[in-house]
Every structure is written in structure tokens, then in C-alpha cells.
Amino acid sequence: MSIEKTYVTYNQVHKLCQEAAPKILDEFRPNLMVAIGGGGYVPARILRSFLKKPGSPNIPIQAIGLSLYESLKTDADVEAPGTKVTRTQWLDLSSLEMATLIGKNVLIVDEVDDTRTTLEYAVRELEKDVREAQEKSGRQGEKTSFSIFVLHNKDKPKKGTLPEEIIHGRYLAARTVGDDWICYPWEALDIDEHDRLSKAQEQK
Ligand code: 5GP
């Protein structure tokens, strides 16, 4: 069985961000975004334009990089390989970068919530590092809260879990979709062909 592909254009991504922005502003009130690379970068940048309020500065975007791979530790794991996430880029823990998160409403942005492994890792590790930074700087009293925005959430059993308070109230997927492979425009080597394929799908 071949995997179905869904082609998403830049225009569609733009409009998904535009559509999500009022809810994000009203309910999550972010004052900082953490974009998970590379898929979270473009949505975060587009979203920033729609989150900008006249007279207020742009919401800063911090980038983190996570890579996910299947790890085979022993022969027994062949049946059920563990999934590991590694940090390829992170906030500088010793510096102001981590301190900038303290007391903020932080919006984590990624393109797709597939198995949820990446988002689980990002939330858990960011929460832990912020907690440590708060202890070090004596700022334990300040409440840091995390919310999540993704363009697409795949409706499938998840391997990763998210805190209850995020999943019920601070999680927004612009679209909930099936388990097809989504082709994002920033991955396309031929953007005209990509757009053609997307249009053909729309007309089906
Ligand atoms: P996770 O399984 O941890 O939720 O997703 C891990 C990463 O796999 C995502 O951030 C994304 O880079 C990639 N990924 C998962 N599903 C898709 C998909 O349908 N299309 C694309 N382009 N990437 C995907």
C-alpha cells in the first residue's frame, strides 16, 4: 500500500496561520515563540505578522532544532524500535536566552504533530530547563506557561504525551488530518510542480 501524499502550498500555510491567529491572541496571549526547526520556522514567521498588535513590538522567535530517529538498541528492539529525539540546536542554557522564557507565555510552533514524540520532548525539556533557570536566578515565583500551535495534527494513536493543561486548552492545530504524508512547500525542489499537484488535489 503506497502512502498518500497531500501537497500544501505557501498560500495555504499563510491562510492557516491567519485563521489561527485570533484564537492564539485571545487564548494563549504569547509573548515569545519557540519554533521547532525546520518545519516550525516558516509558520512561526508568518504567524508573527498576524499576532502583531499596532503599537506593540513584534513577538520574538527563538529557534530550536530537534531531530527524530528510530534507534535499535538490541535485536529485540527490531520489532518495536525506540524513537529518540536529539537536540541539534537549543537555547543557550547558561545565558539570557533561557531567562527570556521565564514568566512568559511561550508558544511552541511546529508544522505537524505526527507521533507527538517531538512535541513531548520539546515541552518536557523546555519546562525542565526553564525551571532550572528560575531556581538559579531566584525567580521561582514567576509563572511560565507553554502552548502549542501546529499546522496539522494527524488523527492517529500518539507515542508521545503532552501535559493535560496543554492538551485541554493550550493546544491548537489549524487542521486535523488523516495519516497521509504532508508535503510542505519549503521542502519542494520544484515549487511550480508542487503547486500544480496541490491544485489537482483540490479539484478532485
Ligand atoms: P513527530 O512524529 O515527532 O510528531 O514528528 C516528527 C517530525 O517528523 C515532524 O516535526 C516532521 O518534521 C516530520 N513529519 C512527520 N510527519 C510528517 C509529514 O506528513 N510530512 C512532513 N513533511 N514531515 C513530517
Side-chain angles (χ1 to χ4, degrees), residues 10-37:
Y10 280 114
N11 256 20
Q12 287 165 344
V13 171
H14 204 92
K15 287 178 181 171
L16 290 177
C17 292
Q18 181 173 21
E19 183 191 293
K23 185 176 160 95
I24 290 171
L25 270 176
D26 276 6
E27 297 183 18
F28 305 162
R29 300 170 194 274
N31 25 43
L32 189 89
M33 279 190 267
V34 171
I36 303 180

PDB file of all heavy atoms in Angstrom, residues 10-37:
ATOM      1  N   TYR A  10       2.356  27.385  -0.049  1.00  0.00           N
ATOM      2  CA  TYR A  10       2.688  28.518   0.827  1.00  0.00           C
ATOM      3  C   TYR A  10       1.435  29.329   1.155  1.00  0.00           C
ATOM      4  O   TYR A  10       1.245  29.777   2.282  1.00  0.00           O
ATOM      5  CB  TYR A  10       3.717  29.443   0.157  1.00  0.00           C
ATOM      6  CG  TYR A  10       5.138  28.939   0.248  1.00  0.00           C
ATOM      7  CD1 TYR A  10       5.832  28.561  -0.893  1.00  0.00           C
ATOM      8  CD2 TYR A  10       5.793  28.858   1.474  1.00  0.00           C
ATOM      9  CE1 TYR A  10       7.138  28.111  -0.816  1.00  0.00           C
ATOM     10  CE2 TYR A  10       7.098  28.401   1.561  1.00  0.00           C
ATOM     11  CZ  TYR A  10       7.772  28.033   0.409  1.00  0.00           C
ATOM     12  OH  TYR A  10       9.060  27.581   0.502  1.00  0.00           O
ATOM     13  N   ASN A  11       0.592  29.528   0.127  1.00  0.00           N
ATOM     14  CA  ASN A  11      -0.636  30.301   0.362  1.00  0.00           C
ATOM     15  C   ASN A  11      -1.527  29.637   1.405  1.00  0.00           C
ATOM     16  O   ASN A  11      -2.112  30.300   2.264  1.00  0.00           O
ATOM     17  CB  ASN A  11      -1.440  30.398  -0.946  1.00  0.00           C
ATOM     18  CG  ASN A  11      -1.303  31.758  -1.567  1.00  0.00           C
ATOM     19  OD1 ASN A  11      -0.355  32.474  -1.257  1.00  0.00           O
ATOM     20  ND2 ASN A  11      -2.232  32.126  -2.410  1.00  0.00           N
ATOM     21  N   GLN A  12      -1.636  28.326   1.298  1.00  0.00           N
ATOM     22  CA  GLN A  12      -2.463  27.601   2.280  1.00  0.00           C
ATOM     23  C   GLN A  12      -1.864  27.727   3.679  1.00  0.00           C
ATOM     24  O   GLN A  12      -2.597  27.932   4.655  1.00  0.00           O
ATOM     25  CB  GLN A  12      -2.612  26.131   1.863  1.00  0.00           C
ATOM     26  CG  GLN A  12      -3.534  25.964   0.661  1.00  0.00           C
ATOM     27  CD  GLN A  12      -3.422  24.597  -0.002  1.00  0.00           C
ATOM     28  OE1 GLN A  12      -2.460  23.850   0.220  1.00  0.00           O
ATOM     29  NE2 GLN A  12      -4.381  24.271  -0.851  1.00  0.00           N
ATOM     30  N   VAL A  13      -0.538  27.605   3.786  1.00  0.00           N
ATOM     31  CA  VAL A  13       0.119  27.745   5.097  1.00  0.00           C
ATOM     32  C   VAL A  13      -0.160  29.145   5.662  1.00  0.00           C
ATOM     33  O   VAL A  13      -0.506  29.313   6.831  1.00  0.00           O
ATOM     34  CB  VAL A  13       1.647  27.503   4.981  1.00  0.00           C
ATOM     35  CG1 VAL A  13       2.359  27.864   6.286  1.00  0.00           C
ATOM     36  CG2 VAL A  13       1.934  26.055   4.603  1.00  0.00           C
ATOM     37  N   HIS A  14      -0.020  30.139   4.797  1.00  0.00           N
ATOM     38  CA  HIS A  14      -0.257  31.530   5.195  1.00  0.00           C
ATOM     39  C   HIS A  14      -1.662  31.699   5.771  1.00  0.00           C
ATOM     40  O   HIS A  14      -1.853  32.298   6.828  1.00  0.00           O
ATOM     41  CB  HIS A  14      -0.088  32.419   3.948  1.00  0.00           C
ATOM     42  CG  HIS A  14       0.251  33.833   4.247  1.00  0.00           C
ATOM     43  ND1 HIS A  14       1.547  34.300   4.330  1.00  0.00           N
ATOM     44  CD2 HIS A  14      -0.542  34.896   4.495  1.00  0.00           C
ATOM     45  CE1 HIS A  14       1.531  35.582   4.613  1.00  0.00           C
ATOM     46  NE2 HIS A  14       0.275  35.969   4.708  1.00  0.00           N
ATOM     47  N   LYS A  15      -2.620  31.129   5.057  1.00  0.00           N
ATOM     48  CA  LYS A  15      -4.017  31.301   5.485  1.00  0.00           C
ATOM     49  C   LYS A  15      -4.338  30.497   6.743  1.00  0.00           C
ATOM     50  O   LYS A  15      -5.165  30.921   7.556  1.00  0.00           O
ATOM     51  CB  LYS A  15      -4.963  30.947   4.330  1.00  0.00           C
ATOM     52  CG  LYS A  15      -4.927  32.040   3.278  1.00  0.00           C
ATOM     53  CD  LYS A  15      -5.798  31.743   2.089  1.00  0.00           C
ATOM     54  CE  LYS A  15      -5.661  32.894   1.084  1.00  0.00           C
ATOM     55  NZ  LYS A  15      -6.298  32.602  -0.192  1.00  0.00           N
ATOM     56  N   LEU A  16      -3.691  29.354   6.910  1.00  0.00           N
ATOM     57  CA  LEU A  16      -3.897  28.579   8.149  1.00  0.00           C
ATOM     58  C   LEU A  16      -3.388  29.385   9.350  1.00  0.00           C
ATOM     59  O   LEU A  16      -4.016  29.410  10.415  1.00  0.00           O
ATOM     60  CB  LEU A  16      -3.177  27.227   8.075  1.00  0.00           C
ATOM     61  CG  LEU A  16      -3.753  26.196   7.093  1.00  0.00           C
ATOM     62  CD1 LEU A  16      -2.880  24.941   7.074  1.00  0.00           C
ATOM     63  CD2 LEU A  16      -5.192  25.826   7.439  1.00  0.00           C
ATOM     64  N   CYS A  17      -2.253  30.060   9.160  1.00  0.00           N
ATOM     65  CA  CYS A  17      -1.702  30.884  10.253  1.00  0.00           C
ATOM     66  C   CYS A  17      -2.627  32.069  10.527  1.00  0.00           C
ATOM     67  O   CYS A  17      -2.896  32.406  11.687  1.00  0.00           O
ATOM     68  CB  CYS A  17      -0.303  31.390   9.892  1.00  0.00           C
ATOM     69  SG  CYS A  17       0.930  30.078   9.803  1.00  0.00           S
ATOM     70  N   GLN A  18      -3.110  32.686   9.466  1.00  0.00           N
ATOM     71  CA  GLN A  18      -4.009  33.842   9.608  1.00  0.00           C
ATOM     72  C   GLN A  18      -5.273  33.449  10.363  1.00  0.00           C
ATOM     73  O   GLN A  18      -5.731  34.148  11.267  1.00  0.00           O
ATOM     74  CB  GLN A  18      -4.369  34.366   8.221  1.00  0.00           C
ATOM     75  CG  GLN A  18      -5.279  35.574   8.256  1.00  0.00           C
ATOM     76  CD  GLN A  18      -5.480  36.176   6.871  1.00  0.00           C
ATOM     77  OE1 GLN A  18      -5.274  35.499   5.855  1.00  0.00           O
ATOM     78  NE2 GLN A  18      -5.873  37.425   6.837  1.00  0.00           N
ATOM     79  N   GLU A  19      -5.817  32.301   9.989  1.00  0.00           N
ATOM     80  CA  GLU A  19      -7.057  31.816  10.602  1.00  0.00           C
ATOM     81  C   GLU A  19      -6.861  31.504  12.092  1.00  0.00           C
ATOM     82  O   GLU A  19      -7.748  31.732  12.905  1.00  0.00           O
ATOM     83  CB  GLU A  19      -7.456  30.544   9.837  1.00  0.00           C
ATOM     84  CG  GLU A  19      -8.740  29.894  10.242  1.00  0.00           C
ATOM     85  CD  GLU A  19      -8.842  28.527   9.584  1.00  0.00           C
ATOM     86  OE1 GLU A  19      -8.969  28.441   8.344  1.00  0.00           O
ATOM     87  OE2 GLU A  19      -8.784  27.510  10.322  1.00  0.00           O
ATOM     88  N   ALA A  20      -5.664  30.990  12.427  1.00  0.00           N
ATOM     89  CA  ALA A  20      -5.409  30.581  13.816  1.00  0.00           C
ATOM     90  C   ALA A  20      -5.087  31.766  14.726  1.00  0.00           C
ATOM     91  O   ALA A  20      -5.266  31.697  15.948  1.00  0.00           O
ATOM     92  CB  ALA A  20      -4.249  29.581  13.856  1.00  0.00           C
ATOM     93  N   ALA A  21      -4.609  32.856  14.134  1.00  0.00           N
ATOM     94  CA  ALA A  21      -4.052  33.961  14.936  1.00  0.00           C
ATOM     95  C   ALA A  21      -5.025  34.542  15.975  1.00  0.00           C
ATOM     96  O   ALA A  21      -4.620  34.738  17.133  1.00  0.00           O
ATOM     97  CB  ALA A  21      -3.522  35.056  14.018  1.00  0.00           C
ATOM     98  N   PRO A  22      -6.298  34.821  15.624  1.00  0.00           N
ATOM     99  CA  PRO A  22      -7.179  35.428  16.645  1.00  0.00           C
ATOM    100  C   PRO A  22      -7.326  34.557  17.891  1.00  0.00           C
ATOM    101  O   PRO A  22      -7.299  35.059  19.017  1.00  0.00           O
ATOM    102  CB  PRO A  22      -8.522  35.570  15.905  1.00  0.00           C
ATOM    103  CG  PRO A  22      -8.167  35.602  14.453  1.00  0.00           C
ATOM    104  CD  PRO A  22      -6.955  34.722  14.313  1.00  0.00           C
ATOM    105  N   LYS A  23      -7.460  33.260  17.702  1.00  0.00           N
ATOM    106  CA  LYS A  23      -7.599  32.354  18.848  1.00  0.00           C
ATOM    107  C   LYS A  23      -6.308  32.346  19.680  1.00  0.00           C
ATOM    108  O   LYS A  23      -6.347  32.363  20.915  1.00  0.00           O
ATOM    109  CB  LYS A  23      -7.934  30.939  18.344  1.00  0.00           C
ATOM    110  CG  LYS A  23      -8.225  29.955  19.454  1.00  0.00           C
ATOM    111  CD  LYS A  23      -8.648  28.613  18.887  1.00  0.00           C
ATOM    112  CE  LYS A  23      -8.478  27.507  19.896  1.00  0.00           C
ATOM    113  NZ  LYS A  23      -9.646  27.176  20.647  1.00  0.00           N
ATOM    114  N   ILE A  24      -5.188  32.332  18.982  1.00  0.00           N
ATOM    115  CA  ILE A  24      -3.900  32.334  19.688  1.00  0.00           C
ATOM    116  C   ILE A  24      -3.757  33.618  20.509  1.00  0.00           C
ATOM    117  O   ILE A  24      -3.342  33.592  21.669  1.00  0.00           O
ATOM    118  CB  ILE A  24      -2.734  32.166  18.680  1.00  0.00           C
ATOM    119  CG1 ILE A  24      -2.754  30.737  18.103  1.00  0.00           C
ATOM    120  CG2 ILE A  24      -1.388  32.464  19.316  1.00  0.00           C
ATOM    121  CD1 ILE A  24      -1.803  30.499  16.951  1.00  0.00           C
ATOM    122  N   LEU A  25      -4.119  34.734  19.899  1.00  0.00           N
ATOM    123  CA  LEU A  25      -4.025  36.021  20.610  1.00  0.00           C
ATOM    124  C   LEU A  25      -4.956  36.061  21.820  1.00  0.00           C
ATOM    125  O   LEU A  25      -4.566  36.480  22.908  1.00  0.00           O
ATOM    126  CB  LEU A  25      -4.405  37.162  19.666  1.00  0.00           C
ATOM    127  CG  LEU A  25      -3.284  37.795  18.849  1.00  0.00           C
ATOM    128  CD1 LEU A  25      -3.859  38.834  17.903  1.00  0.00           C
ATOM    129  CD2 LEU A  25      -2.220  38.425  19.736  1.00  0.00           C
ATOM    130  N   ASP A  26      -6.191  35.610  21.608  1.00  0.00           N
ATOM    131  CA  ASP A  26      -7.202  35.666  22.673  1.00  0.00           C
ATOM    132  C   ASP A  26      -6.913  34.703  23.809  1.00  0.00           C
ATOM    133  O   ASP A  26      -7.071  35.035  24.980  1.00  0.00           O
ATOM    134  CB  ASP A  26      -8.568  35.236  22.118  1.00  0.00           C
ATOM    135  CG  ASP A  26      -9.281  36.380  21.460  1.00  0.00           C
ATOM    136  OD1 ASP A  26      -8.675  37.449  21.345  1.00  0.00           O
ATOM    137  OD2 ASP A  26     -10.456  36.174  21.064  1.00  0.00           O
ATOM    138  N   GLU A  27      -6.544  33.477  23.447  1.00  0.00           N
ATOM    139  CA  GLU A  27      -6.486  32.429  24.469  1.00  0.00           C
ATOM    140  C   GLU A  27      -5.082  32.143  24.991  1.00  0.00           C
ATOM    141  O   GLU A  27      -4.921  31.817  26.154  1.00  0.00           O
ATOM    142  CB  GLU A  27      -7.117  31.143  23.912  1.00  0.00           C
ATOM    143  CG  GLU A  27      -8.591  31.365  23.606  1.00  0.00           C
ATOM    144  CD  GLU A  27      -9.288  30.122  23.114  1.00  0.00           C
ATOM    145  OE1 GLU A  27      -8.784  29.005  23.310  1.00  0.00           O
ATOM    146  OE2 GLU A  27     -10.379  30.284  22.516  1.00  0.00           O
ATOM    147  N   PHE A  28      -4.071  32.227  24.133  1.00  0.00           N
ATOM    148  CA  PHE A  28      -2.717  31.863  24.596  1.00  0.00           C
ATOM    149  C   PHE A  28      -1.902  33.103  24.977  1.00  0.00           C
ATOM    150  O   PHE A  28      -0.953  33.018  25.732  1.00  0.00           O
ATOM    151  CB  PHE A  28      -1.952  31.069  23.530  1.00  0.00           C
ATOM    152  CG  PHE A  28      -2.649  29.823  23.015  1.00  0.00           C
ATOM    153  CD1 PHE A  28      -2.258  29.232  21.815  1.00  0.00           C
ATOM    154  CD2 PHE A  28      -3.688  29.234  23.710  1.00  0.00           C
ATOM    155  CE1 PHE A  28      -2.882  28.095  21.324  1.00  0.00           C
ATOM    156  CE2 PHE A  28      -4.327  28.091  23.229  1.00  0.00           C
ATOM    157  CZ  PHE A  28      -3.925  27.533  22.031  1.00  0.00           C
ATOM    158  N   ARG A  29      -2.253  34.237  24.365  1.00  0.00           N
ATOM    159  CA  ARG A  29      -1.550  35.507  24.613  1.00  0.00           C
ATOM    160  C   ARG A  29      -0.028  35.359  24.662  1.00  0.00           C
ATOM    161  O   ARG A  29       0.613  35.694  25.663  1.00  0.00           O
ATOM    162  CB  ARG A  29      -2.009  36.114  25.949  1.00  0.00           C
ATOM    163  CG  ARG A  29      -3.470  36.410  26.016  1.00  0.00           C
ATOM    164  CD  ARG A  29      -3.878  36.761  27.446  1.00  0.00           C
ATOM    165  NE  ARG A  29      -5.312  36.730  27.597  1.00  0.00           N
ATOM    166  CZ  ARG A  29      -6.097  37.751  27.334  1.00  0.00           C
ATOM    167  NH1 ARG A  29      -5.597  38.881  26.938  1.00  0.00           N
ATOM    168  NH2 ARG A  29      -7.407  37.649  27.477  1.00  0.00           N
ATOM    169  N   PRO A  30       0.571  34.847  23.601  1.00  0.00           N
ATOM    170  CA  PRO A  30       2.018  34.599  23.662  1.00  0.00           C
ATOM    171  C   PRO A  30       2.825  35.884  23.655  1.00  0.00           C
ATOM    172  O   PRO A  30       2.443  36.858  23.014  1.00  0.00           O
ATOM    173  CB  PRO A  30       2.284  33.809  22.374  1.00  0.00           C
ATOM    174  CG  PRO A  30       1.207  34.213  21.433  1.00  0.00           C
ATOM    175  CD  PRO A  30       0.002  34.513  22.289  1.00  0.00           C
ATOM    176  N   ASN A  31       3.936  35.875  24.414  1.00  0.00           N
ATOM    177  CA  ASN A  31       4.875  36.975  24.241  1.00  0.00           C
ATOM    178  C   ASN A  31       6.228  36.493  23.756  1.00  0.00           C
ATOM    179  O   ASN A  31       7.190  37.240  23.676  1.00  0.00           O
ATOM    180  CB  ASN A  31       5.013  37.881  25.483  1.00  0.00           C
ATOM    181  CG  ASN A  31       4.672  37.175  26.749  1.00  0.00           C
ATOM    182  OD1 ASN A  31       5.078  36.034  26.946  1.00  0.00           O
ATOM    183  ND2 ASN A  31       3.907  37.836  27.600  1.00  0.00           N
ATOM    184  N   LEU A  32       6.281  35.216  23.391  1.00  0.00           N
ATOM    185  CA  LEU A  32       7.501  34.643  22.823  1.00  0.00           C
ATOM    186  C   LEU A  32       7.123  33.389  22.051  1.00  0.00           C
ATOM    187  O   LEU A  32       6.243  32.647  22.484  1.00  0.00           O
ATOM    188  CB  LEU A  32       8.434  34.261  23.975  1.00  0.00           C
ATOM    189  CG  LEU A  32       9.822  33.840  23.578  1.00  0.00           C
ATOM    190  CD1 LEU A  32      10.725  35.065  23.527  1.00  0.00           C
ATOM    191  CD2 LEU A  32      10.399  32.857  24.570  1.00  0.00           C
ATOM    192  N   MET A  33       7.786  33.173  20.927  1.00  0.00           N
ATOM    193  CA  MET A  33       7.564  31.904  20.215  1.00  0.00           C
ATOM    194  C   MET A  33       8.854  31.094  20.213  1.00  0.00           C
ATOM    195  O   MET A  33       9.944  31.652  20.078  1.00  0.00           O
ATOM    196  CB  MET A  33       7.156  32.168  18.758  1.00  0.00           C
ATOM    197  CG  MET A  33       5.704  32.497  18.612  1.00  0.00           C
ATOM    198  SD  MET A  33       5.219  32.502  16.852  1.00  0.00           S
ATOM    199  CE  MET A  33       5.447  34.219  16.492  1.00  0.00           C
ATOM    200  N   VAL A  34       8.711  29.785  20.338  1.00  0.00           N
ATOM    201  CA  VAL A  34       9.832  28.874  20.129  1.00  0.00           C
ATOM    202  C   VAL A  34       9.467  28.032  18.917  1.00  0.00           C
ATOM    203  O   VAL A  34       8.503  27.269  18.949  1.00  0.00           O
ATOM    204  CB  VAL A  34      10.091  27.980  21.365  1.00  0.00           C
ATOM    205  CG1 VAL A  34      11.118  26.899  21.045  1.00  0.00           C
ATOM    206  CG2 VAL A  34      10.588  28.811  22.537  1.00  0.00           C
ATOM    207  N   ALA A  35      10.211  28.228  17.839  1.00  0.00           N
ATOM    208  CA  ALA A  35       9.930  27.497  16.601  1.00  0.00           C
ATOM    209  C   ALA A  35      10.816  26.268  16.530  1.00  0.00           C
ATOM    210  O   ALA A  35      12.035  26.355  16.696  1.00  0.00           O
ATOM    211  CB  ALA A  35      10.198  28.397  15.396  1.00  0.00           C
ATOM    212  N   ILE A  36      10.183  25.121  16.306  1.00  0.00           N
ATOM    213  CA  ILE A  36      10.952  23.884  16.177  1.00  0.00           C
ATOM    214  C   ILE A  36      11.352  23.726  14.709  1.00  0.00           C
ATOM    215  O   ILE A  36      10.501  23.707  13.812  1.00  0.00           O
ATOM    216  CB  ILE A  36      10.144  22.653  16.642  1.00  0.00           C
ATOM    217  CG1 ILE A  36       9.666  22.833  18.084  1.00  0.00           C
ATOM    218  CG2 ILE A  36      10.994  21.385  16.508  1.00  0.00           C
ATOM    219  CD1 ILE A  36       8.850  21.673  18.632  1.00  0.00           C
ATOM    220  N   GLY A  37      12.669  23.643  14.503  1.00  0.00           N
ATOM    221  CA  GLY A  37      13.171  23.613  13.109  1.00  0.00           C
ATOM    222  C   GLY A  37      13.142  22.243  12.499  1.00  0.00           C
ATOM    223  O   GLY A  37      13.113  21.251  13.195  1.00  0.00           O
TER     224      GLY A  37
END
